Amino acid sequence: MSKEKLALYGGTPARTAPWPRTFPGALDMGDEEAQAVMEVLQSRNLFRYAGPSDVAPHKVKDFEKAFAAHLGARYVLGVTSGTAALMTALAAAGIGPGDEVIIPAYTWIATATAVVWNMGIPIIAEVDETLTLDPEDVARRITPRTRAIIPVHMRGAPCNMEAFTALARKHNLRLIEDVAQANGGSYHGQWLGTFGDLGAFSLQFYKMITTGEGGAVATNDLDLYRRAQMYHDGGGIWRRDQDVADFVTFTGVNFRMTEIAGALAGVQLQRLDRLIAKQRAAKARIIAGTADICHAKGFAPRPSHDADGDVSVCLVYLLPSAAAAQEMARALQAENISASTLFDPTKEDWHIYYHWGPILGKRTANRLGCPWTCPYYTGEPDYRQDVCPRSLDLLGRAVHIDINPLLTDADIEGAVAGIIKVASALL
Ligand SMILES: Cc1ncc(COP(=O)(O)O)c(C=O)c1O
């Protein structure tokens, strides 16, 4: 096919309708959420631990119970954001001054900043071809100071949890899963967020299910759960239903979830599996429809550690070069397909360590630059911009297509036609 047929070069686009925006849970909100929120407002009990009436709904508690049952985890704690969930998990795990925590080169910067706010030192490691943390590179970066690993199930894709659980056990490290972008995903039949000592979830607006802003921490360990409760509630653990007489308190913060967020979270949770099933079906059809052109033109979807457990928020193709990926993404956009590349050194994007100015520059809000200048820290993290060249290469060659539950048959068929058209002309 000639390039002139491409919409990018003046041809007619494969699709005319705009691509639906990716806010899966938010766009599925309906009367059930409205009713649950109204129940809270009418009760006038907006605070999870107390209010004018004892018979009021307890939406946060109900959500925590339902989410724990869904995950098969013993405990879930609702919090105010995914960042708060990570900070709470790290605090529960006792991460602090002098501790190194290994995180991936590709994750939202919050994974790194949460470590810093717990006075730990983020150590940046490569991702593999799945674009999730590479266990072999993590193993190379373990030092006597390493205390934890945070695998991030990035863009819906499960990390290699078999390797990470083995690595954490071998080196006696805490394993904290960042599930912000993969709520509802699984690895070999087990829910993501339940492999590590703790799992940190986000309910922010872009995520699979949402309360606008919100988050949750899951764990099977009573001690970690109590520590998480304490940290997120001002350091106290004195609430009516908390059986913790033997606990010595420590200073905490306020990451308590509101009853309104709890009401939304409880209803949204019931939508999760159905939304993911729709995304999986759409993604499978696009992959099947483009298999021949991939084969013919030498590009492929990113591999997976467990394709069945992928949340399918996106389809990522790996191309032979960054230049090819850039041109393909631009051409797909012109065909009205929501495509982008994942790394461009000239475009600031805090999902890639390369652009994490405050981390690479070791800049914090305090005047002394703690935790990097902390006397308890005896190492020197490698924050050169090229510290993870393989990740930059892979992300630079990636073309990312948004998948969401609102895609219609026509959208899916148009996407397949557009991808075949663009790849035929450009590759
Ligand atoms: C991988 C990852 N971790 C953590 C977070 C932080 O979540 P929140 O925005 O809810 O604080 C995000 C949010 O985008 C994320 O994508």
Side-chain angles (χ1 to χ4, degrees):
M1 183 181 295
S2 68
K3 277 193 176 188
E4 290 70 49
K5 294 253 165 70
L6 298 182
L8 184 63
Y9 299 111
T12 311
R15 303 180 64 258
T16 47
W19 195 264
R21 298 232 175 125
T22 298
F23 299 104
L27 292 178
D28 206 47
M29 269 184 192
D31 292 344
E32 294 89 341
E33 280 87 351
Q35 200 181 322
V37 168
M38 278 311 287
E39 259 181 73
V40 174
L41 292 179
Q42 279 158 358
S43 76
R44 296 190 174 82
N45 270 45
L46 272 63
F47 177 44
R48 68 168 297 176
Y49 291 123
S53 162
D54 284 340
V55 292
H58 295 282
K59 296 292 190 185
V60 178
K61 200 169 172 189
D62 292 348
F63 161 67
E64 291 172 340
K65 275 194 191 153
F67 199 24
H70 164 89
L71 291 171
R74 286 215 181 100
Y75 312 103
V76 164
L77 180 72
V79 292
T80 47
S81 70
T83 307
L86 282 166
M87 288 179 64
T88 302
L90 286 158
I95 302 305
D99 298 339
E100 290 180 349
V101 178
I102 303 180
I103 64 166
Y106 178 44
T107 178
W108 178 242
I109 192 171
T111 318
T113 54
V115 174
V116 171
W117 276 112
N118 280 275
M119 295 294 127
I121 304 291
I123 300 295
I124 304 165
E126 297 271 24
V127 294
D128 62 21
E129 287 211 335
T130 68
L131 306 184
T132 65
L133 187 59
D134 177 358
E136 285 178 21
D137 195 53
V138 170
R140 282 190 285 274
R141 292 178 201 257
I142 290 174
T143 72
R145 296 173 294 277
T146 310
R147 283 283 307 284
I149 308 171
I150 308 185
V152 182
H153 306 293
M154 206 48 189
R155 304 303 294 131
C159 296
N160 183 349
M161 293 316 296
E162 195 180 334
F164 285 118
T165 40
L167 204 56
R169 205 172 304 124
K170 180 172 169 198
H171 295 274
N172 193 24
L173 303 175
R174 288 295 195 186
L175 193 57
I176 297 171
E177 292 173 76
D178 182 336
V179 205
Q181 297 201 4
N183 193 356
S186 60
Y187 174 80
H188 296 170
Q190 186 177 331
W191 296 107
L192 300 180
T194 64
F195 288 87
D197 298 286
L198 299 125
F201 295 81
S202 168
L203 298 169
Q204 184 264 343
F205 203 56
Y206 282 106
K207 305 304 186 296
M208 270 312 302
I209 55 171
T210 184
T211 56
E213 299 283 1
V217 179
T219 182
N220 283 317
D221 183 308
L222 178 59
D223 185 50
L224 292 177
Y225 173 60
R226 285 169 159 184
R227 288 177 58 89
Q229 271 187 322
M230 237 193 298
Y231 179 73
H232 107 299
D233 189 15
I237 187 151
W238 46 60
R239 304 295 176 188
R240 262 188 299 196
D241 52 354
Q242 293 169 346
D243 166 27
V244 286
D246 54 336
F247 246 67
V248 178
T249 54
F250 55 71
T251 52
V253 293
N254 171 9
F255 289 153
R256 293 182 303 253
M257 183 180 255
T258 68
E259 282 290 290
I260 288 181
L264 288 170
V267 180
Q268 285 267 295
L269 180 61
Q270 293 166 27
R271 306 189 185 281
L272 181 61
D273 291 346
R274 189 175 45 80
L275 292 171
I276 291 178
K278 283 190 184 173
Q279 290 179 171
R280 284 187 176 143
K283 179 170 171 174
R285 282 177 63 188
I286 301 176
I287 289 179
T290 56
D292 288 347
I293 191 77
C294 281
H295 186 68
K297 297 289 183 176
F299 70 108
R302 66 170 163 170
S304 175
H305 292 297
D306 181 359
D308 293 339
D310 190 301
V311 177
S312 301
V313 285
C314 65
L315 169 55
V316 176
Y317 291 109
L318 293 175
L319 270 81
S321 71
Q326 295 279 353
E327 196 179 17
M328 182 160 176
R330 273 201 312 276
L332 289 172
Q333 284 159 16
E335 305 293 335
N336 285 315
I337 296 167
S338 179
S340 58
T341 50
L342 290 179
F343 172 60
D344 176 343
T346 65
K347 284 194 194 132
E348 182 98 349
D349 176 357
W350 278 10
H351 289 93
I352 301 131
Y353 81 93
Y354 184 93
H355 293 294
W356 292 348
I359 299 290
L360 303 191
K362 300 180 183 170
R363 294 194 300 274
T364 52
N366 62 75
R367 85 198 137 82
L368 293 180
C370 293
W372 285 288
T373 52
C374 170
Y376 291 106
Y377 184 55
T378 53
E380 183 55 56
D382 189 345
Y383 288 155
R384 286 171 299 169
Q385 247 183 343
D386 60 355
V387 64
C388 290
R390 182 152 188 260
S391 302
L392 297 183
D393 171 57
L394 287 165
L395 292 163
R397 293 192 284 112
V399 172
H400 175 285
I401 296 174
D402 286 323
I403 303 286
N404 77 52
L406 293 181
L407 291 177
T408 61
D409 283 348
D411 291 327
I412 293 165
E413 282 153 22
V416 169
I419 294 164
I420 293 174
K421 180 182 168 191
V422 166
S424 307
L426 294 184
L427 298 177

